[in-house]
Amino acid sequence: MTPESVPYIVAALAAGGIFAPVIVSSAPVGLLRIILTAVALALSIASIFCTTGTFAFGMIAVLLILRGVFANKGTDLPKLPCIVSTLFAVAAAFTGEWPVLNLIAAVLLLATLSGAWPMHWLAARVIDRSPLAMAEQISTCIVATFAYLRFVAPTEFAFDAAATLVRLGAVLALLPAITALVQVNLRGFYRCVVAMHGGMLIAALGAAGHGHSAAALLVTVTLALAMGGLGAMVSAVEDRCGRVLLKDQGGRIWGMPRLAAAFLLFAASGVGMPGTAGFIADDLLLHALWEESVAGSLIMIVAAALLAVASLAAFAKIFLGPPATSLAGDLRRPERYVVVVTFGLLVLIGVAPWLLANPLAEYLRGFGAVPH
Amino acid sequence: MTHIDLDAIQRIALPVLILLPIAASAMVGLLIMASSRYPSERTATRILEVALTISLVLSALIAMCATGVFGAAPSAVVDYGALLELGTYRIPAVLLADWKGVVFSLLCAFLTLLVARFSRTYMHREAGYFRFFILLGGFATGAQLVALAGALDIFFAGWELIGIGSALFIGFFHERAEPVRSSLRAFATYRLCDAGFLMAMVCAHEVLGSTTINALDGSIDLPLWESTTIGLLFLLSVMGKSAQLPFSGWLPRAMEGPTPTSALFYGGISLHAGLFLMLRISPIISASPVVQVVGAVVGISTAIYAAAVARTNPDAKGALAHATLCQVGLILAEISLGFTTLALVHISGHALLRVWQYLRAPNAIHDAHRIGVHAVPVEESQPQSVLERRVYAAALHRLRLDDRIDSILDPLMVLARALDKFDQRVRVLFGGGKDVDS
């Protein structure tokens, strides 16, 4: 892979993240939804290939405005999260001259999109409407992180703010990981998992200020693929069984074994299962964090361990147990394709991370990124 | 055969023998995912067994190369470059086929194939038959990664695969609540103790400049506090995986899984994987007297505890698990005191014996009748003195280890509930994500 291929890889990943929710959606997909998806893809690609921060974040702002305008109609998104994230995107686009404001706006934009604390109340609105809509929103994180790595991370202020962001991100990852242990419904669990990854992303953005851009991109890709996939599986379970409580054992694995397997694989990838992108992202992130803040690194390790336990507990309550009486079917064929392709991508990046990480470092050097 | 040929053979054989089992599992998984009908039991088993057989043959071939059967032994370090290389940071793709690795690899490959063959009949028509074999393939790859890893990152990948496989096998009969609870407990113990491995790995990278196993030889030059910290962090991880005190509580619960996997994990490989990690980090252990002492004390304490519990345990698999744990504790002490060769021999012999005993466990009553073993009369087996009674009661309750660990974790759950309550209030205040069910 050459450095020139990096934007194409990022564009392909973003395109997958944008289209996958449309493919797996159980609701009929109308013409408006298809047009919106195509426009979202076009704007994402435009943002990826823009050569200035103003245009890159501007394109993301336009994309979010579009979503806000058509919120509740063509998409499952509620209005408020679109409006707030649009404001942050606009702020990131027009504050290029003031690095402090630029960094704050960009980090807030990514925190809103990824559902990190304390912006998770906005993500909670999206997840409450539809977990699939959250999966779609997360895919925008790839584009926004790419813009951050090119135009915000190389600044001097980002260099100075690295340690603070790392510590902040570690704490923001730990809090939802702890609350994930006591969630009583599936959406609450999903919200905590996404928020924990949002915290990881904030820490990774901090580390990117010191040149650890590959860690940031791999964390985002894991967030998009694993959490997007998990969101799709949460949506699939709810489409079949309605609202799912995490009280007693659900026993759904008997009726939907493929769905259970896919849920487990995505949840495990998110917490660093070997052989997937999550494992490399965690490994890389920990080494990057260690250089900025030893405490931040330790907190992140504990957060990942707690989330792993919470994930297995949630899986056990949703799927394991005596056979449940249900007429709900297993994964449909389009859903299976999305699972195989998404998980395949997670594995591909997990076993061959150099495909993405090595050219990225070279590519970002052209934007003045600090050499690692 | 020339020396260069052996190098080339080893270079190709090592990744194949490691990855083939998980590739076979993925193939069975894809067959299930892609088609509307499940493949036959026979098809799934054949795919797995062929992969495990090839893995065993290649492992034997590597062992013969390493022992010089075909002439001069090739280099033990097989470098495939880097999985990722970014400036000073590197995830090395290195395998290590030294005598320790080769012996453990051969042991793992043989026992996994043996258990797979045994399970073909044992698990026939059992619900979860395919799940069993898919997980077995993942486990086989994990065990080979542990045996042949030349870098801590790769070792950790195998370590995690073994942990995930162990937890999922414990909860295999999930229609009952108890196996699921046991599975969660084992997994929680693994993950929390693995935090030690991760920290030690990152520390080792920072102070030694590399995560390769060979780089650990440099730990002799480290300041004492650094080698002690890294050694103790690794030891924490070993204590979780090998069920050493105070983390022994999950082991009897792990017997909820199918007997063949109990044999493979807790008689054969998983418990011993922690000891193998100790063998791999032996340069760090020898550099730190504190780690040596702590390791020996933990090992001997566990051996005494397990010996007492094994004598009071009412079920065959539970007694066997503690008998195994007793030996594992002794091996840990051996390694801590520097007897690494003895420990490797002990591990191999012990694993073979225990797997056989576990696989025979379902026939224990039949065997007892056949051999003519009779129960000891109750009045003879009763503890006599006050001390005996106290030890008996403590062993019977397994020192209430689970309760003690739960009480340590209670504040975490209180914090989790308080945080969740606060979070709910914030979300309700801003009108997002009202938890109607909570």
Side-chain angles (χ1 to χ4, degrees):
Chain A
M1 289 284 175
T2 58
E4 290 74 33
S5 60
V6 169
Y8 295 97
I9 300 172
V10 176
L13 290 169
I18 290 167
F19 272 109
V22 177
I23 296 168
V24 300
S25 174
S26 61
V29 180
L31 184 65
L32 179 63
R33 181 73 186 267
I34 293 171
I35 293 170
L36 277 175
T37 307
V39 174
L41 178 65
L43 288 167
S44 299
I45 291 173
S47 167
I48 289 166
F49 285 94
C50 276
T51 50
T52 65
T54 307
F55 278 108
F57 284 110
M59 289 295 150
I60 295 169
V62 174
L63 164 64
L64 294 168
I65 289 169
L66 198 71
R67 278 197 187 149
V69 169
F70 289 98
N72 306 332
K73 292 176 195 163
T75 68
D76 292 319
L77 290 167
K79 263 200 164 45
L80 189 62
C82 293
I83 294 170
V84 175
S85 47
T86 303
L87 289 175
F88 290 137
V90 169
F94 291 104
T95 51
E97 298 290 313
W98 303 281
V100 181
L101 292 178
N102 193 229
L103 180 100
I104 293 171
V107 169
L108 283 172
L109 168 67
L110 276 155
T112 311
L113 291 175
S114 65
W117 280 32
M119 310 306 292
H120 69 298
W121 61 273
L122 287 164
R125 276 175 169 244
V126 181
I127 292 170
D128 230 34
R129 178 69 56 84
S130 156
L132 205 54
M134 188 64 203
E136 191 182 340
Q137 179 173 303
I138 288 172
S139 68
T140 315
C141 279
I142 298 184
V143 183
T145 304
F146 194 59
Y148 180 96
L149 292 178
R150 287 181 298 159
F151 306 113
V152 183
T155 62
E156 231 171 80
F157 183 70
F159 187 90
D160 295 338
T164 312
L165 272 180
V166 162
R167 287 194 197 102
L168 179 70
V171 174
L172 295 183
L174 180 64
L175 296 178
I178 293 174
T179 51
L181 293 167
V182 292
Q183 291 308 304
V184 292
N185 65 58
L186 181 54
R187 289 188 182 193
F189 165 72
Y190 182 56
R191 188 178 57 237
C192 290
V193 177
V194 171
M196 188 273 181
H197 281 82
M200 278 175 82
L201 180 60
I202 302 292
L205 295 178
H210 281 189
H212 298 285
S213 41
L217 195 66
L218 279 172
V219 168
T220 320
V221 168
T222 304
L223 173 74
L225 295 176
M227 291 304 103
L230 187 66
M233 293 307 107
V234 168
S235 190
V237 176
E238 292 196 340
D239 282 349
R240 289 159 174 80
C241 313
R243 206 170 173 86
V244 176
L245 297 182
L246 305 179
K247 282 183 178 166
D248 302 313
Q249 288 184 289
R252 295 180 180 88
I253 196 171
W254 302 91
M256 36 187 102
R258 294 179 182 92
L259 177 48
F263 184 98
L264 186 64
L265 288 175
F266 285 124
S269 313
V271 292
M273 185 172 83
T276 65
F279 182 76
I280 300 292
D282 278 10
D283 197 12
L284 202 51
L285 182 63
L286 287 179
H287 284 280
L289 297 191
W290 188 273
E291 286 178 21
E292 311 307 328
S293 158
V294 175
S297 177
L298 300 184
I299 292 172
M300 197 62 83
I301 289 172
V302 174
L306 292 176
L307 191 72
V309 175
S311 299
L312 186 64
F315 171 78
K317 283 179 182 160
I318 300 161
F319 291 105
L320 304 185
T325 319
S326 168
L327 295 174
D330 205 353
L331 282 182
R332 292 176 291 116
R333 205 169 275 270
E335 290 172 323
R336 278 191 238 164
Y337 292 147
V338 168
V339 167
V340 169
V341 172
T342 311
F343 192 69
L345 276 173
L346 279 165
V347 172
L348 178 69
I349 298 171
V351 295
W354 70 85
L355 287 176
L356 188 57
N358 288 2
L360 179 78
E362 194 61 37
Y363 175 79
L364 289 178
R365 218 157 278 154
F367 286 85
V370 188
H372 176 69
Chain B
M1 208 175 282
T2 64
H3 181 74
I4 297 169
D5 284 335
L6 288 181
D7 273 330
I9 288 169
Q10 184 170 271
R11 197 173 176 76
I12 295 166
L14 280 172
V16 173
L17 89 90
I18 291 170
L19 295 175
L20 207 56
I22 204 166
S25 285
M27 192 188 284
V28 175
L30 276 174
L31 276 178
I32 292 171
M33 211 44 127
S35 69
S36 49
R37 282 183 351 138
Y38 275 51
S40 68
E41 281 189 358
R42 198 179 166 145
T43 308
T45 320
R46 270 201 182 158
I47 292 173
L48 252 298
E49 280 185 3
V50 166
L52 292 173
T53 308
I54 295 173
S55 189
L56 175 63
V57 169
L58 292 177
S59 184
L61 184 72
I62 297 290
M64 285 192 272
C65 287
T67 48
V69 171
F70 302 125
S75 165
V77 179
V78 186
D79 195 343
Y80 296 89
L83 207 56
L84 191 61
E85 189 161 14
L86 296 163
T88 56
Y89 178 69
R90 191 168 189 267
I91 302 180
V94 186
L95 297 174
L96 187 58
D98 61 350
W99 63 275
K100 287 180 200 168
V102 163
V103 169
F104 199 62
S105 163
L106 199 55
L107 183 73
C108 293
F110 171 69
L111 291 179
T112 312
L113 180 61
L114 183 80
V115 166
R117 177 62 195 88
F118 181 89
S119 307
R120 193 206 298 176
T121 320
Y122 190 88
M123 299 299 293
H124 178 54
R125 295 207 170 185
E126 192 76 61
Y129 184 92
F130 297 102
R131 186 160 36 104
F132 181 93
F133 280 94
I134 289 174
L135 288 174
L136 197 64
F139 165 77
T141 291
Q144 291 299 338
L145 277 174
V146 162
L148 298 166
L152 291 171
D153 309 75
I154 298 176
F155 194 105
F156 187 67
W159 186 260
E160 284 293 283
L161 281 177
I162 291 178
I164 294 168
S166 169
L168 294 177
F169 272 126
I170 295 168
F172 191 82
F173 298 116
H174 58 86
E175 53 277 19
R176 288 184 291 117
E178 197 49 41
V180 178
R181 271 200 291 271
S182 304
S183 157
L184 278 174
R185 183 169 282 276
F187 187 68
T189 310
Y190 284 158
R191 280 305 298 227
L192 293 175
C193 290
D194 286 352
F197 194 123
L198 276 171
M199 288 181 211
M201 188 165 71
V202 180
C203 277
H205 182 265
E206 293 306 315
V207 298
L208 297 168
S210 169
T211 52
T212 56
I213 302 280
N214 284 343
L216 297 178
D217 292 339
S219 53
I220 196 81
D221 301 324
L222 292 178
L224 186 61
W225 73 271
E226 281 185 354
S227 57
T228 302
T229 307
I230 295 174
L232 289 177
L233 287 170
F234 273 126
L235 185 61
L236 172 68
S237 195
V238 170
M239 286 158 68
K241 186 73 89 192
S242 295
Q244 298 297 293
L245 280 179
F247 305 113
S248 309
W250 65 264
L251 185 62
R253 292 166 179 268
M255 298 302 120
E256 298 279 2
T259 296
T261 56
S262 299
L264 187 60
F265 280 77
Y266 315 112
I269 297 166
S270 183
L271 275 189
H272 293 108
L275 302 173
F276 189 73
L277 173 61
M278 289 294 279
L279 287 176
R280 282 298 192 209
I281 61 158
S282 53
I284 294 179
I285 299 171
S286 55
S288 168
V290 178
V291 179
Q292 291 170 7
V293 171
V294 175
V297 169
V298 167
I300 291 167
S301 319
T302 306
I304 294 168
Y305 157 82
V309 176
R311 279 161 176 73
T312 59
N313 217 295
D315 66 290
K317 275 174 78 178
L320 202 46
H322 284 96
T324 310
L325 187 57
C326 178
Q327 292 298 315
V328 168
L330 290 177
I331 300 172
L332 178 63
E334 285 166 14
I335 299 170
S336 302
L337 297 173
F339 302 109
T340 49
T341 308
L342 171 67
L344 191 62
V345 174
H346 198 162
I347 287 173
S348 309
H350 184 236
L352 289 168
L353 171 73
R354 292 301 180 195
V355 168
W356 177 79
Q357 285 183 327
Y358 270 102
L359 293 179
R360 292 292 302 173
N363 288 1
I365 296 174
H366 174 77
D367 287 350
H369 285 303
R370 191 168 54 82
I371 300 166
V373 176
H374 300 290
V376 180
V378 174
E379 56 278 11
E380 282 179 32
S381 63
Q382 289 295 307
Q384 303 299 320
S385 67
V386 175
L387 181 67
E388 269 183 0
R389 268 184 231 140
R390 282 195 179 161
V391 172
Y392 182 85
L396 197 62
H397 292 111
R398 297 188 207 123
L399 299 182
R400 296 194 187 281
L401 284 176
D402 288 352
D403 295 344
R404 284 173 217 274
I405 288 180
D406 285 349
S407 66
I408 293 169
L409 291 177
D410 275 348
L412 178 71
M413 298 311 284
V414 171
L415 175 67
R417 282 187 202 99
L419 269 175
D420 190 47
K421 214 167 185 178
F422 173 73
D423 179 41
Q424 269 180 43
R425 281 189 192 148
V426 171
R427 278 185 285 116
V428 170
L429 188 69
F430 290 104
K434 296 184 191 82
D435 279 328
V436 287
D437 307 310
S438 51

